[in-house]
Structure formats: structure tokens, C-alpha cells
């Protein structure tokens, strides 16, 4: 099927916000038998309704013919702890809001091992998540990472590799954009509060530095409108993981995480129309 025959909708980090998820799904002009939904990972933690989110996503998989569910770093770490309990992993999970996930199941930390507190359908869903999805000219990944890191983590996931968890975590937790366009270039007016203590979405400003131009748009500007990139690139990477108050559009990359769980909006990007939808 050619891209002209279908649309792809990439949906940003949900983090237990089932209300925003259901509202967004109602607003998307998706043709269930033709169009594709790509969920970008981080469905769990922080928000209050992780259980409801997983139920909704499982139903979406049944109702829509073409769905892809990426793994986020939150799901990966939960699965790692469930298989290999470690106090350091648990400490990180607590910082990531695992208690809200457990509360949605009326469960306790003691039940994390083996995910015994979850229905089998939820466990199967988490184990079915994929690390990336390629549909030329698009590449969908949870975090803005190097394709080499994705390839290494995928290879490691297919064999018995003692470094698998490290490789996968690297691919799912990368903040390449922040390193390249903020720390190394003081002219860029972008900060990511996901690297700060409060964990709220960052604001984003536009700055012109040649091919590294970053364009950020207000929600009112992007709801149902078409956005064009400065030039046509060979491959467009769509990612999430680092939350901003507004969708972030760059010549070769687009971030669709707009911090729904922090009281902001949940965003979906429609391709190839380059149209944003919000809830």
C-alpha cells in the first residue's frame, strides 16, 4: 500500500492518562481498515489510569487493522524488574511513578515480580511491544536515538546477551536532541524539564541556525493544520520521550511528546499530511 493511500497517526507518551487518550482517539480522522496508528511508548506510570490505558490500547488493537505499539523506557524497566528484581531498578521505577501504576491495579510493590498483579492480556501486551518501526520515509522510535543503537538493541533482544538490558535502555532513554541542540549551542532557546527535578514539559522557542532550525508551534496553531519542514529530507524520524509544551518540528525529526500527564495536551501527528491533532 502506498503512502498516498493511507495516513499514519503517531501518538505521543500517554503515561496513564486514559481520559486524554480516549478524547484524542475520538478526534482522529482514522479509517480503521486503512490507516495506521503508531503509539510511541510510555503508556504506564505517573498518571492515575495505567490499567485503563492498557485496556483501551488492547481494544484499539482489536478495532483497527493496522496498529504498532512501541516500547518506552518505562515499560522496558518494568519488564526488566519483573524478570530480574533488583533494588536499583526498583529505586528508578519509584522515581518514574510506578506507585501510580500499582495503585490503578490495587497492587503493591511486592507484586511487581512476574507482573502477577496484571491480567494476562496486559502482560501479553507489554511483552509484545517493539523497539522501533520503519515505514519509509519514516522511522518511529520512542526516544531520539542513533539508528545504530536501535539496531544493536534489537539484535541483542533476539539472542542471549548479558548486555541486552543496557543496550535497550540506551536506545529507549536517549536525549540526543537535547545534547546536540541545547548543550552544544547556547543560541538555542530550548530546555527540557524532563532533565530537571519537577519533570514538567519544557517550553520551546524557535531559533535559526541554518539546517538546525527548530520550529515549535502552539497548540492553537497546530490543531488540524498542515506544517511543512524547511526542506525535504531522506528520512524523517518521529519520536517522543522528551516532553515539550508544544510539538517540536525539525528538518529531520519531530517530537510528539507534549506532556499530557503534566496537565498539557496529548498529541498525535498525522502523516504524510504533517497535521497535528490534540486532546
Amino acid at each position: 500500500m502506498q503512502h498516498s493511500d493511507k495516513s499514519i497517526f503517531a501518538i505521543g507518551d500517554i503515561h496513564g492518562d486514559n481520559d486524554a487518550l480516549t478524547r484524542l482517539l475520538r478526534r482522529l480522522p482514522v479509517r480503521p481498515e486503512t490507516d495506521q496508528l503508531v503509539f510511541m511508548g510510555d503508556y504506564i506510570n505517573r498518571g492515575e489510569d495505567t490499567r485503563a490505558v492498557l485496556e483501551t490500547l488492547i481494544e484499539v488493537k482489536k478495532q483497527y487493522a493496522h496498529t504498532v505499539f512501541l516500547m518506552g523506557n518505562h515499560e522496558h524497566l518494568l519488564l526488566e524488574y519483573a524478570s530480574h528484581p533488583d533494588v536499583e531498578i526498583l529505586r528508578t521505577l519509584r522515581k518514574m511513578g510506578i506507585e501510580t501504576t500499582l495503585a490503578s491495579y490495587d497492587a503493591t510493590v511486592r507484586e511487581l515480580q512476574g507482573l502477577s498483579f496484571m491480567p494476562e492480556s496486559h502482560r501479553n501486551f507489554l511483552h509484545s511491544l517493539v523497539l522501533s518501526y520503519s515505514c519509509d520515509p519514516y522511522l518511529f522510535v520512542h526516544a531520539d536515538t542513533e539508528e545504530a543503537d536501535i539496531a544493536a538493541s534489537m539484535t541483542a533482544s533476539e539472542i542471549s546477551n548479558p548486555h541486552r538490558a543496557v543496550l535497550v535502555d540506551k536506545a529507549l532513554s536517549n536525549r540526543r536532541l537535547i545534547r546536540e541542540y541545547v548543550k552544544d549551542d547556547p543560541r538555542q532557546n530550548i530546555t527540557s524539564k524532563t532533565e530537571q527535578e519537577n519533570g514538567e514539559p519544557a517550553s520551546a522557542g524557535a531559533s535559526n541556525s541554518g539546517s538546525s532550525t527548530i520550529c515549535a508551534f502552539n497548540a492553537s496553531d497546530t490543531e488540524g493544520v498542515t506544517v511543512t519542514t524547511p526542506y525535504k529530507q531522506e528520512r524523517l524520524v518521529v519520536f517522543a520521550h522528551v516532553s515539550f509544551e508544544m510539538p517540536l518540528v525539525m528538518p529531520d525529526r519531530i517530537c510528539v511528546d507534549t506532556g499530557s500527564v503534566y496537565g498539557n495536551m496529548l498529541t498525535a501527528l498525522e502523516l504524510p499530511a504533517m497535521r497535528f491533532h490534540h486532546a
Side-chain angles (χ1 to χ4, degrees), residues 80 151-165 167-168:
E80 280 301 308
S153 61
M154 292 181 69
T155 300
S157 67
E158 297 168 358
I159 61 176
S160 178
N161 189 319
H163 302 298
R164 174 187 178 277
L167 291 171
V168 174

Side-chain angles (χ1 to χ4, degrees), residues 10 28 36 131 146 227:
L28 295 182
Q36 187 158 41
L131 297 180
E146 300 285 354
V227 178

Side-chain angles (χ1 to χ4, degrees), residues 144-146 149 170 173-185 192 195 242 253:
D144 181 37
T145 190
E146 300 285 354
D149 290 338
K170 179 181 179 182
S173 301
N174 206 313
R175 285 184 169 86
R176 182 178 66 167
L177 181 144
I178 300 303
R179 292 200 305 271
E180 288 184 359
Y181 291 93
V182 180
K183 296 178 181 177
D184 296 336
D185 188 348
S192 173
E195 292 189 331
V242 178
R253 290 176 267 176

Side-chain angles (χ1 to χ4, degrees), residues 120-134:
E120 183 178 5
S121 60
H122 291 201
R123 295 196 299 270
N124 291 341
F125 174 80
L126 292 178
H127 284 289
S128 72
L129 303 178
V130 298
L131 297 180
S132 67
Y133 175 65
S134 178

Side-chain angles (χ1 to χ4, degrees), residues 27 60 91 136 144 171 193 201 222 226 234 247:
R27 294 179 181 181
V60 165
R91 183 175 292 113
D136 287 337
D144 181 37
K193 293 183 182 178
T222 59
T226 301
E234 292 298 321

